[in-house]
Amino acid sequence: MTAEELRSAAWTAHHQGDLTGAERLYRELLASDADVQDAINLGALLRAQGRLGEATEHYHRWLERFPQSITLRRNGVNCLLERGDYETCRNWLETGLHLHPEHPQLLHGLAKAQIGLKHLVQAQQLLERLCGFTPGDAGLWLDLGLCRHGQENLEGALEAFEQAGKLSPHDARPVANCITVLKELGQLERAHGLIDSLPTALRRERDVQAAVGALYLQGARVEEAAHVLETLCRDHPQDPIHWLNWAASLRSLKNLVACSRALKRGLALHPQHPDLEQALGQSLAEMGKQNAAMELLMRSGGQVDQLPDSHVFNLQFLGAGYGLLSSERRQAMARSWESRKRSLGVGPLWGDVVRERLSGRPLRVGYLSADLCNHPVGRFLLPVLENHDRRAVEVWGLSCGPHQDGLKDRLEKACDHWLDLRRGGELEAARLIADQGLDVLVELGGFTDQSRLALLAQRPAPLQLSYLGFYAPTYLEAVDGWIGDETLFSTLNHCDREAHRLLSVHGGYMAFSCEALPELEAPLGARRFRFGSFNHSRKLTEATVVLWCAVLAAIPEADLVLKSISFVEPAERERVRDLFVRAGLANDRLVMLPWVEGWANHMACYRDIDVALDPVPYGGATTSCEALAMGVPVVSLAGPGMVGCLSASVLAHGAGGEGLVHSTEAFIEQAKALAQREPRGTRERQTVRQR
C-alpha cells in the first residue's frame, strides 16, 4: 500500500472505531513517511483512550520534528492541561510563542497554564488583553472569570461569567459559575431568579444542577439539596464533588449514618480521595467513632505544612476534643498553618489605622464568630453583649456565618455596630476589621466550621483574644490571651498552659440566660428513677458508655434516657442503642426520646429525667446549663484540659460544686446518692433552678 492508501485506511479505521487498527496504521506511517497530520491524529487517539502518559511522550517527540505546527502544539498543551503538568505546559507554550509571537490560541493556553500554576495575576493580565483582541470568544471570558474568582474578586468574576453566558447561551458552565458566585456574594434571591429563568434543558445540565444543589444547601433548603445531589451522584458518579456535597446535605439533615454510607460509596469510586476521606473522618467522629476517624484523617492529611484549612480544622477539633493528638503536635500544626497564613499578608494591619487615645472614650471590642445565631455560642454571648457597660465598651458584632434567625436579630441589636464578613477573602475581611479601629478583637470559633480564624494572622487589632467557642487553645501567636476561669484551666498540661496568657473570669467564664424558661413540671405519671443525657450522640464514646452502664449496674431500679438531634435518623438510634446493649444494659432500661421542634419544647423534655450524666472526655456545657436551669442536677467527672472541665466550670459556679467529682468511683457513688431520692418533683427542681 502507498502512503496515501495507508493514510486513508487509518482514517477509515479511526472513524469506524477500530482504534487498534488505526493506531497500528498511524505508527506505520510515522515510521516510514511521517506527516504532521498523522502525528496529530495518533495523539488524539491516545488522548481519547485516556493514555495521557503515552500521549505526552508522543507529543514531545513529534514537536521536536514539527515545531512549527500550531495544531500539534495546541493538542499537546491540552494533553498536559488534562494531566495537570502545568510547568511543562508553560515551557511548550513559551517555545511556541517564540516561533509564533502573539498567537492568540497559544497565549490562551499560556493563561490556562498560569492558572494551573496559581500565577493568577499574570493569567488575568493575559486574559484581559486577549478579551480586548477577541471580545467574542466565550472561552476567554470563562477563564477570566475563573481567574478573578481564584483571586476572590467575586464581582469581577460574575461580570466575566455573565459575558461568557451571553456569547455562549447554551453552555452550562458560565450559568453554573454565575449561580455559584451569586451564592458566595449572598445574593440568593438573584441566584434563584437566574435558575427560574433557565430553559429546562440547560437547567438539567450537570454543572447547573451541581450549582443548584450547593445553593439549596446554603439557603437552608437542605432536603431539596439532598434530592438534587443524590441524583447527581447516581447519574454522574465520576465527580467526587457530588459525593462530598450530597454527604454535606445529609449531615445537615442529621442523617449521620446515611452521610457515612454516601461517603463510603464515593470512596469506593474514588479511592484515597483526600477530601472524601476527610469528610468520612468527620462523619465517623460525629458517630462517636473518634479513633477510626482520626486514623483516617491522619492518613489522608499529607504534609503538615501543606494541609488545607479544612484538614487542619478537623485534626485540631478531634485531636483536642478526644485526646487523640498531643498538645505539642497540635501546637506545631497550628503554628505551621499560621505561618502560611501570615506570609500571605503585609504585616500587622491594625498599625495602618490612625489610633485615637483611649482616655475619654469607650473601649472598642469586636466579637468574631460564624455562630452569632441560635447556636450555643450565640446563646452564651447574648447576655454578655446585653450587659456590657456602654459607657466603657463599644461593641462590634463581626458575623461570618450564614444562618439568619430571631436570635441573630437580638444579637445584632445588642451590638453598636454589625459587620457581615461572610464574603471576601481573609485579607479583605481582615482589612475591613482593621478599618474599624478596634482595640480588642475576640474570636469565638477557634478551629470550628466556618470560623475565620485565619484572619487573626494579619493582626487587624492590637489585642486579640480567644473565648467561648473552642475547647482548647488555638496555639496561634496572633492570639494574646485565652479567656476562661480557674476551674476551666485547672487541669491544663504544661503546653496548653503556656500557649497563651490565661485570663480568668471571676465567678465563671460563661453567662447563661434563664429567661423564657418553660414552667417546671413533675414527671408525667408514675415511673422509675431516670438518669439521662441530652448531649449529641457523638459524645457517646466508649468510655462514656462503660461509665454510664456501671452507674446503671449499681442502681438496677433506674433507667437511662437519651436524646440527641441525630436521633431523627432511625439508623443512628439503632446504632446508639446497640452500643449500650452490647455494654450490658438491658434494652428495656434504655429510653430514647424523639427530636422535637423548638427550644421550649426541647427544654420541657427535661421533666423526663431526674439526674443528668455528663459524658467523658468531652463534657457538656450547654446541656449542663440547661439541665440545671430545668431543675435537674448534673454529675460530672472532671477530666484533663478545658474540654474535660466544661461541665466542671458550670457546676463549680452554677451549682456550688454539687455533682462535680474527680474519679469514676466517686461518679458512681454520687449517682447512687442522688438516686436514693424519689423521682424529682416540682419543689426539688425549683430549688436547683433557683440556685
Side-chain angles (χ1 to χ4, degrees), residues 413-426:
K413 289 178 183 177
C415 295
D416 300 297
H417 312 274
W418 187 269
L419 291 183
D420 185 345
L421 298 175
R422 288 176 294 170
R423 294 174 287 280
E426 302 299 348

Side-chain angles (χ1 to χ4, degrees), residues 227-248:
H227 175 71
V228 170
L229 294 163
E230 181 180 10
T231 302
L232 278 169
C233 289
R234 183 191 65 220
D235 297 342
H236 306 283
Q238 70 278 11
D239 191 337
I241 300 302
H242 300 333
W243 295 97
L244 281 167
N245 286 341
W246 183 31

Side-chain angles (χ1 to χ4, degrees), residues 463-671:
L463 184 64
Q464 300 184 155
L465 308 175
S466 283
Y467 172 54
L468 192 61
F470 187 59
Y471 43 58
T474 63
Y475 305 106
L476 303 186
E477 293 177 341
V479 172
D480 303 297
W482 181 18
I483 301 172
D485 59 52
E486 291 183 359
T487 302
L488 201 70
F489 294 148
S490 63
T491 60
L492 295 182
N493 61 38
H494 178 75
C495 181
D496 287 0
R497 186 169 290 279
E498 297 298 317
H500 309 292
R501 183 179 177 184
L502 303 182
L503 306 173
S504 292
V505 178
H506 179 69
Y509 87 117
M510 288 192 296
F512 182 79
S513 174
C514 293
E515 63 179 34
L517 286 170
E519 290 295 322
L520 292 173
E521 298 179 12
L524 297 175
R527 62 161 172 77
R528 286 153 57 94
F529 192 90
R530 286 179 169 181
F531 293 102
S533 170
F534 290 1
N535 283 277
H536 193 289
S537 61
R538 67 170 174 265
K539 295 188 179 183
L540 300 178
T541 60
E542 181 180 355
T544 297
V545 173
V546 169
L547 177 60
W548 291 358
C549 284
V551 170
L552 273 294
I555 311 165
E557 64 277 10
D559 295 330
L560 178 65
V561 176
L562 300 178
K563 182 175 181 291
S564 169
I565 191 171
S566 62
F567 289 172
V568 296
E569 186 181 29
E572 176 65 0
R573 293 199 299 272
E574 290 308 307
R575 184 191 71 82
V576 171
R577 182 177 292 279
D578 187 56
L579 286 177
F580 283 91
V581 170
R582 284 191 286 110
L585 183 65
N587 186 49
D588 61 358
R589 296 181 67 192
L590 182 61
V591 180
M592 304 184 80
L593 299 182
W595 183 250
V596 293
E597 280 294 329
W599 183 75
N601 292 330
H602 163 71
M603 294 293 281
C605 291
Y606 276 97
R607 67 169 176 257
D608 292 316
I609 63 175
D610 302 300
V611 171
L613 300 180
D614 198 38
V616 293
Y618 183 178
T622 303
T623 50
S624 297
C625 290
E626 289 178 348
L628 294 175
M630 293 305 295
V632 177
V634 179
V635 182
S636 178
L637 173 59
M642 177 181 180
V643 71
C645 288
L646 293 169
S647 286
S649 173
V650 173
L651 294 177
H653 301 105
E658 182 180 356
L660 177 57
V661 299
H662 298 277
S663 69
T664 56
E665 294 79 11
F667 189 97
I668 296 170
E669 288 304 314
Q670 179 70 25

Side-chain angles (χ1 to χ4, degrees), residues 290-328:
Q290 284 80 22
N291 287 306
M294 182 57 74
E295 181 181 347
L296 190 60
L297 294 175
M298 292 298 292
R299 188 178 76 206
S300 65
Q303 295 295 320
V304 169
D305 59 353
Q306 300 172 1
L307 291 177
D309 290 2
S310 60
H311 295 199
V312 172
F313 278 43
N314 280 339
L315 290 170
Q316 291 283 352
F317 189 88
L318 277 181
Y322 301 94
L324 300 175
L325 282 180
S326 70
S327 298
E328 290 76 12

Side-chain angles (χ1 to χ4, degrees), residues 158-305:
L158 181 61
E159 179 185 353
F161 291 140
E162 288 177 335
Q163 183 63 23
K166 291 175 184 176
L167 294 169
S168 184
H170 302 296
D171 188 346
R173 295 172 299 168
V175 174
N177 287 332
C178 283
I179 295 169
T180 298
V181 173
L182 287 170
K183 170 177 69 76
E184 293 171 351
L185 286 168
Q187 299 180 26
L188 303 188
E189 289 187 15
R190 188 176 166 191
H192 286 294
L194 173 58
I195 293 167
D196 293 340
S197 72
L198 296 177
T200 301
L202 190 56
R203 184 170 178 173
R204 288 175 177 169
E205 288 286 332
R206 177 183 63 182
D207 290 343
V208 174
Q209 283 289 289
V212 168
L215 176 68
Y216 286 168
L217 190 57
Q218 177 165 320
R221 297 169 62 174
V222 184
E223 290 188 6
E224 293 173 84
H227 175 71
V228 170
L229 294 163
E230 181 180 10
T231 302
L232 278 169
C233 289
R234 183 191 65 220
D235 297 342
H236 306 283
Q238 70 278 11
D239 191 337
I241 300 302
H242 300 333
W243 295 97
L244 281 167
N245 286 341
W246 183 31
S249 68
L250 293 170
R251 182 179 173 223
S252 294
L253 291 169
K254 309 304 178 186
N255 293 340
L256 303 183
V257 176
C259 172
S260 175
R261 289 171 179 167
L263 290 166
K264 288 176 180 177
R265 288 171 60 190
L267 276 167
L269 296 168
H270 307 280
Q272 298 183 330
H273 188 283
D275 291 334
L276 285 170
E277 288 191 327
Q278 287 286 315
L280 179 57
Q282 187 176 16
S283 179
L284 291 173
E286 293 196 338
M287 294 167 62
K289 301 177 181 180
Q290 284 80 22
N291 287 306
M294 182 57 74
E295 181 181 347
L296 190 60
L297 294 175
M298 292 298 292
R299 188 178 76 206
S300 65
Q303 295 295 320
V304 169
D305 59 353

